[in-house]
């Protein structure tokens, strides 16, 4: 299973971004492999991989992912060490099978967008006793400004050794993420619900 190495830097930057606004997370879309059925309790041990180059951020993200797995998640830093690309090494599939790992969950950044919105200013005026003349003089004006928003799209993919390629994917959008912990928590809450809706 090849993991896209270029995503490691991007996801780390996305989840560590500090912006003026609070974070807002939404499920954009999900996909399930046709014909895939998931028996109850099938995924007992899932390897969790956050494609983040910064090691500290990677460990934080994977630890938060593991919280939502209720004891069924194994962090990649504890299983693969610092080299996440080891998942692609020859013999890794046999090792995971030996260790009873029956699923791999990978999160990675797939897109980043920046939008700008003009927010109009506000004014307060004197009231005039003789018609509209007095209203032409503003007492206080709050100038308009341009608001910049950053939207990050993170893809979560679930793999199973029983099938070729991912069996389930979900794309989550983050609006102005402020901190990696609540960002991952919000994402995991969302994909947990969507995962169940999609039959997993």
């Amino acid at each position: 299973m090849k993991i896209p190495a270029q995503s490691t830097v991007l996801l780390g930057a996305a989840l560590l971004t500090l912006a003026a606004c609070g974070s807002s997370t939404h499920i954009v879309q999900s996909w399930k492999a046709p014909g895939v059925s998931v028996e109850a309790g099938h995924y007992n041990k899932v390897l969790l991989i956050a494609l983040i180059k910064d090691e500290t951020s990677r460990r934080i993200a994977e630890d938060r992912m593991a919280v939502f797995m209720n004891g069924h998640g194994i962090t990649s830093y504890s299983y693969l060490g610092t080299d996440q690309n080891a998942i692609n090494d020859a013999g890794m599939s046999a090792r995971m099978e030996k260790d009873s790992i029956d699923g791999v969950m990978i999160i990675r950044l797939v897109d980043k967008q920046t939008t700008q919105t003009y927010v109009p200013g506000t004014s307060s005026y004197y009231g005039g006793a003789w018609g509209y003349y007095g209203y032409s003089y503003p007492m206080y004006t709050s100038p308009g400004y341009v608001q910049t928003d950053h939207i990050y799209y993170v893809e979560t993919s679930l793999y199973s050794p029983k099938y070729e390629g991912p069996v389930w994917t979900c794309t989550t959008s983050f609006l102005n993420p402020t901190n990696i912990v609540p960002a991952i928590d919000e994402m995991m809450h969302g994909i947990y619900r969507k995962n169940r809706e999609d039959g997993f």
Side-chain angles (χ1 to χ4, degrees), residues 109-167:
L109 183 73
V110 292
D111 194 15
K112 173 189 174 183
Q113 297 179 1
T114 299
T115 63
Q116 290 187 326
T117 305
Y118 177 73
V119 180
T122 58
S123 300
S124 298
Y125 296 90
Y126 286 109
W130 295 279
Y132 294 101
Y133 178 78
Y135 288 97
S136 64
Y137 296 93
M139 177 178 65
Y140 172 78
T141 300
S142 175
Y145 63 94
V146 175
Q147 176 175 302
T148 300
D149 291 316
H150 304 283
I151 306 173
Y152 299 89
Y153 296 89
V154 175
E155 180 185 79
T156 302
S157 299
L158 179 63
Y159 294 82
S160 169
K162 294 176 59 178
Y163 303 96
E164 291 289 336
V167 297

Side-chain angles (χ1 to χ4, degrees), residues 13-110:
L15 295 178
L16 288 175
T17 296
L18 296 180
C21 300
S23 70
S24 180
T25 307
H26 301 283
I27 298 295
V28 177
Q29 63 182 8
S30 66
W31 171 88
K32 177 182 176 182
V36 173
S37 61
V38 180
E39 302 83 3
H42 175 69
Y43 292 98
N44 290 309
K45 294 178 72 175
V46 179
L47 183 64
L48 307 172
I49 302 178
L51 293 182
I52 303 176
K53 186 174 183 180
D54 178 75
E55 186 63 19
T56 299
S57 301
R58 169 199 172 190
R59 291 179 178 235
I60 292 173
E62 292 181 355
D63 283 341
R64 298 311 303 170
M65 293 169 68
V67 168
F68 288 84
M69 299 301 292
N70 297 319
H72 297 283
I74 302 173
T75 58
S76 74
Y77 71 80
S78 65
Y79 191 76
L80 302 174
T82 57
D83 183 15
Q84 290 180 316
N85 285 319
I87 191 70
N88 298 317
D89 291 349
M92 182 56 66
S93 295
R95 176 188 170 187
M96 290 193 294
E97 183 178 357
K98 176 179 177 291
D99 294 336
S100 300
I101 294 178
D102 44 29
V104 179
M105 179 180 286
I106 299 176
I107 64 171
R108 68 186 185 96
L109 183 73
V110 292

